[in-house]
Amino acid sequence: MPTSRTLRVGMIGYNFMGKAHSNAWRQAGRFFDLPATIELATLCGRSRSAVESARDRLGWAKASTDWREVVEDPSIDIIDVSTPNDTHAEIAIAAARAGKAVLCEKPLALTVKECEAMVDAVKKAGVVHMICHNYRRIPAIALARQMIEAGELGDRIYHYRARYAQDWITDPEFPLVWRLQSKIAGSGTHGDINAHIIDLGRYLVGEFSEVCGTMETFIKQRPVLGATGSGLSAKKGKKLGRVTVDDAVTLIGRFRNGALANLEATRFAYGRKNHITLEINGSKGSLAFNFEDMNRLQFFRADDPEGRRGFRDILVTEGAHPYAGSWWPPGHIIGYEHTFVHTFADFVQAVVKGKPVQPTFVDGLRNQQVLEAIEQSSRSRQWVRVG
Ligand code: SOE
């Protein structure tokens, strides 16, 4: 496809996600045939020295400490919101009003109300928008979706079982980073990683109809943040502060199509680093996936001949597989960062065509509705209908 346009990106935020996003903006056009050239124009953050050093390290042309200036800059086409959750709504709404295409990190916002305002803003402005649920674009997950749609698991799905387990806050001495403060993060493990497996459930199986969940904060107080380090590699200070979010959540639920859901998300599973495991059982077969072995998809077919049945292990690296053909020859595996490259490549295609791209802000809103239903269920100890 001939490259006819240049799309200039302004990205707000430069920590963990900022790093993943910068890499993806740079790589997307090198591996995917895009109808536009992407320019890493302006990187924005609160601290002048930190944002300038990130600009140089991550390869951006300019640095700014004022997100409004970036959003209003007429030369910018795309605003990438990679900031902590409490600022998503304000920045994304302003970006949409300024006519920019908007890509926003998950969770979309702190509340359903904020998500609704964001959906409203992008619809009114008619701008292309996307929430960054990057795991949808793991080749094995995209393949799972194709297989389910093609009926390879049968015409009924019975079970969606998903676990997202990490261990980075198991140590009670790990400091009170922003992800552990409800004012900034909204919720804890719930909005941060349960949101991902809720999204994968919606992507692979369908809409949730009702949920029954329970949430727990195991460590109620932690050392406040020290002077050095940030994010997942933060260092502790001397005083103690209150943890105001959940540490873990577990739930059962129902999908509108009759399938049952069983989900667990925790940051308290020693040894589990970024362990996303899924199993989907249908009337003709099953699929199983583990992110820590993300190039593989396990597939069981009930109609294999008797005596030969068993899970087959598909190495999802071939040209016939989603996204994989744009990288390396079969068997030359890819990793976490590639999921962002795939996401951004699809987003750029959509921006040029002026067409919607999944997952949209409406998906972010539906995800938040599921999150809030689970919170309500945990508080009331009752089943709660979604939406
Ligand atoms: C931290 O738990 C985190 O970086 C999440 O915020 C991401 O969404 C997840 O993909 C990896 O873990």
Side-chain angles (χ1 to χ4, degrees), residues 301-321:
R301 289 177 71 122
D303 58 6
D304 273 348
E306 221 181 307
R308 296 290 181 277
R309 283 182 208 147
F311 272 93
R312 57 186 78 178
D313 183 12
I314 307 173
L315 185 58
V316 192
T317 56
E318 295 184 16
H321 296 139

Side-chain angles (χ1 to χ4, degrees), residues 16-17 106 135 164 166 168 179 192-193 196 232 267 274 336:
F16 179 13
M17 280 308 115
K106 42 54 59 180
Y135 296 122
Y164 198 150
Q166 299 181 337
W168 58 278
R179 286 180 203 276
D192 189 36
I193 58 176
H196 277 306
L232 275 55
R267 291 167 174 157
N274 202 45
Y336 174 66

Side-chain angles (χ1 to χ4, degrees), residues 103-366:
L103 185 108
C104 184
E105 255 307 322
K106 42 54 59 180
L108 193 59
L110 299 185
T111 61
V112 163
K113 215 166 153 219
E114 276 188 353
C115 292
E116 282 168 349
M118 291 167 86
V119 167
D120 214 46
V122 290
K123 282 195 173 161
K124 268 198 192 117
V127 293
V128 175
H129 55 281
M130 188 186 206
I131 175 169
C132 188
H133 275 297
N134 53 304
Y135 296 122
R136 284 190 182 206
R137 286 175 169 84
I138 296 167
I141 294 290
L143 176 65
R145 158 92 178 216
Q146 285 179 358
M147 292 167 73
I148 293 168
E149 270 184 342
E152 291 183 59
L153 292 202
D155 54 9
R156 284 190 69 182
I157 299 296
Y158 297 127
H159 291 288
Y160 173 69
R161 194 170 297 100
R163 181 173 193 232
Y164 198 150
Q166 299 181 337
D167 68 359
W168 58 278
I169 60 168
T170 317
D171 179 356
E173 293 296 306
F174 185 86
L176 200 53
V177 293
W178 71 261
R179 286 180 203 276
L180 305 182
Q181 301 171 37
S182 66
K183 266 199 185 147
I184 307 177
S187 62
T189 295
H190 195 41
D192 189 36
I193 58 176
N194 203 23
H196 277 306
I197 51 177
I198 289 169
D199 181 66
L200 292 178
R202 293 189 54 253
Y203 179 58
L204 296 170
V205 180
E207 292 297 346
F208 285 81
S209 59
E210 53 181 341
V211 288
C212 179
T214 187
M215 301 168 74
E216 183 57 55
T217 305
F218 300 119
I219 307 294
K220 311 249 187 298
Q221 285 201 318
R222 289 179 178 272
V224 295
L225 210 50
T228 60
S230 67
L232 275 55
S233 51
K235 302 276 176 298
K236 65 175 180 170
K238 287 206 173 94
K239 289 189 184 150
L240 284 181
R242 201 160 71 84
V243 176
T244 45
V245 299
D246 56 282
D247 286 334
V249 51
T250 177
L251 67 122
I252 52 175
R254 288 179 177 279
F255 289 92
R256 286 187 200 157
N257 61 15
L260 294 180
N262 207 313
L263 277 71
E264 180 193 51
T266 180
R267 291 167 174 157
F268 277 71
Y270 263 139
R272 301 302 184 193
K273 302 299 172 184
N274 202 45
H275 195 74
I276 307 171
T277 48
L278 309 180
E279 185 167 309
I280 302 171
N281 312 111
S283 51
K284 272 201 196 157
S286 295
L287 288 173
F289 171 79
N290 174 3
F291 178 74
E292 289 171 349
D293 196 6
M294 63 168 267
N295 289 274
R296 295 177 182 278
L297 184 66
Q298 313 292 322
F299 177 38
F300 180 97
R301 289 177 71 122
D303 58 6
D304 273 348
E306 221 181 307
R308 296 290 181 277
R309 283 182 208 147
F311 272 93
R312 57 186 78 178
D313 183 12
I314 307 173
L315 185 58
V316 192
T317 56
E318 295 184 16
H321 296 139
Y323 304 106
S326 297
W327 294 100
W328 316 115
H332 294 64
I333 56 175
I334 60 164
Y336 174 66
E337 70 273 31
H338 299 78
T339 65
F340 292 91
V341 179
H342 302 162
T343 305
F344 291 19
D346 286 348
F347 181 72
V348 167
Q349 298 271 8
V351 172
V352 172
K353 288 185 193 135
K355 294 238 166 90
V357 57
Q358 308 285 327
T360 64
F361 279 17
V362 173
D363 290 292
L365 165 64
R366 299 226 167 102

